Amino acid sequence: MTLHKALQKVEINCGDFAEIWNSLENNPTFIYIDPPYRPISKQVTMFTLYDKSGFTDFDQLRLKEICDIFGNRGCRIMLSNSDSYDEDISYFENLYNNGYHISRIEVTRMINPYNSKNRKPKEVIITNYQPPQ
């Protein structure tokens, strides 16, 4: 029953993030974003293409710019993505290098190629606030 009460004021949206941001009438206090994941390498592209248009690095940059705008309005932002690297440089640490916090978590996949090889990929959790320990 407590979860039911907590979710009474929650609004869940699904769609292109630019359209959703434009439709927000009030500044929400917390926004969680789960965009298509950036490939962890050129060889491993699972969980990255949810439709034929894809989600490019340009889209990642647009999303970061919108996170900055809503963060400057006082919203708390949290987003998740793959722990992706270009060469030896963390893509998301480089992109979210101005006041964001990045945590890494190990995840378990139940999709056959990951499960059968006992892989535990890492993901990043990016916030514009210091998350509790």
Side-chain angles (χ1 to χ4, degrees), residues 28-41:
T29 56
F30 178 79
I31 300 171
Y32 172 70
I33 306 158
D34 187 20
Y37 280 18
R38 185 173 193 265
I40 58 172
S41 71

Side-chain angles (χ1 to χ4, degrees), residues 9-123:
K9 295 181 181 179
V10 171
E11 181 178 329
I12 298 173
N13 295 290
C14 180
D16 182 82
F17 68 89
E19 293 171 16
I20 290 172
W21 296 107
N22 291 332
S23 71
L24 295 175
E25 294 178 16
N26 300 319
N27 279 341
T29 56
F30 178 79
I31 300 171
Y32 172 70
I33 306 158
D34 187 20
Y37 280 18
R38 185 173 193 265
I40 58 172
S41 71
K42 291 180 181 178
Q43 294 78 28
V44 182
T45 58
M46 302 183 136
F47 310 110
T48 60
L49 297 174
Y50 292 99
D51 67 25
K52 62 184 175 185
S53 63
F55 200 82
T56 66
D57 284 351
F58 178 73
D59 296 312
Q60 296 287 359
L61 177 61
R62 286 188 319 126
L63 178 58
K64 195 271 185 185
E65 290 170 350
I66 289 177
C67 287
D68 288 347
I69 290 168
F70 274 80
N72 288 334
R73 292 182 186 173
C75 298
R76 287 186 168 206
I77 308 286
M78 175 187 280
L79 67 110
S80 55
N81 215 303
S82 62
D83 190 12
S84 179
Y85 288 79
D86 289 336
E87 304 299 320
D88 289 334
I89 300 168
S90 167
Y91 177 81
F92 290 105
E93 282 186 19
N94 189 46
L95 183 60
Y96 289 88
N97 64 0
N98 60 336
Y100 288 85
H101 301 273
I102 298 179
S103 304
R104 287 178 171 75
I105 59 170
E106 195 173 86
V107 296
T108 301
R109 296 273 186 244
M110 299 316 250
I111 306 296
N112 281 340
Y114 270 91
N115 196 28
S116 65
K117 295 178 183 176
N118 207 18
R119 295 181 181 167
K120 294 192 184 240
K122 289 196 176 180
E123 291 185 6

